[in-house]
Amino acid sequence: MKKNILMAFIAFVLLASCGGSGTKTTERNKGTSSEVVDANLVNVYYFHGKQRCKTCIAVGNVTKETVETAYSNNANVKFSEILTTEKEYENLFEKYEVSWNALIIAKGDDFVDITEQAFATAVSNPESLTNLIKNEVNKRLNQ
């Protein structure tokens, strides 16, 4: 229990240190993304700002490496790294309630936000993040 509280606190501090304001823009242009959502495709989205800390970079690197290594022969799994300043993805920012850093695994309307766990483990225990990503992707592949 104490470990979970400590991990949540560390994740919060790391997320806050990366410059996120936690506020959402309420006016958005819907349907402007060039991203076409395929109901059979599992998308692993890593959203981040231009300025990134060590942990932000680690989350992106571990996630990209995991998807490329574990699913290199699976056309139904796609990794996308998206800058939160890219206006063409505003519909994804709104759909997943993203305003800055986030790690989302989605298949159609089924998605999970594993940002907190990712930031808590990417630097200190990358294997844990790799396993979490694989578990969440596999759940969606088997649906």
Side-chain angles (χ1 to χ4, degrees):
M1 176 76 167
K2 289 181 182 180
K3 185 176 180 180
N4 288 342
I5 293 171
L6 179 61
M7 295 285 277
F9 177 74
I10 291 170
F12 173 76
V13 170
L14 290 172
L15 288 171
S17 71
C18 294
S21 65
T23 59
K24 294 180 205 165
T25 304
T26 55
E27 291 183 35
R28 301 194 188 257
N29 297 328
K30 295 184 181 186
T32 58
S33 172
S34 60
E35 194 84 5
V36 176
V37 178
D38 178 346
N40 296 316
L41 189 66
V42 176
N43 286 290
V44 180
Y45 296 114
Y46 177 52
F47 298 94
H48 64 82
K50 286 183 180 179
Q51 198 169 7
R52 299 191 300 161
C53 66
K54 175 183 175 181
T55 305
C56 297
I57 293 167
V59 169
N61 290 343
V62 170
T63 304
K64 182 178 182 179
E65 181 179 325
T66 299
V67 172
E68 288 178 352
T69 302
Y71 304 101
S72 62
N73 295 322
N74 191 333
N76 289 325
V77 180
K78 179 181 174 190
F79 171 74
S80 298
E81 187 169 299
I82 301 170
L83 279 171
T84 54
T85 56
E86 293 179 3
K87 299 295 181 195
E88 66 185 279
Y89 296 102
E90 285 189 358
N91 64 329
L92 291 177
F93 304 150
E94 186 173 299
K95 179 177 183 176
Y96 301 119
E97 300 182 359
V98 172
S99 60
W100 49 301
N101 295 341
L103 182 56
I104 307 288
I105 299 174
K107 180 179 180 184
D109 288 331
D110 175 32
F111 71 92
V112 62
D113 180 340
I114 60 170
T115 307
E116 186 176 318
Q117 299 94 322
F119 275 79
T121 61
V123 173
S124 64
N125 190 358
E127 300 81 23
S128 176
L129 177 54
T130 295
N131 291 333
L132 177 60
I133 293 167
K134 287 179 185 178
N135 287 338
E136 293 298 338
V137 168
N138 290 338
K139 279 182 198 176
R140 282 151 187 82
L141 281 174
N142 295 323
Q143 291 179 343

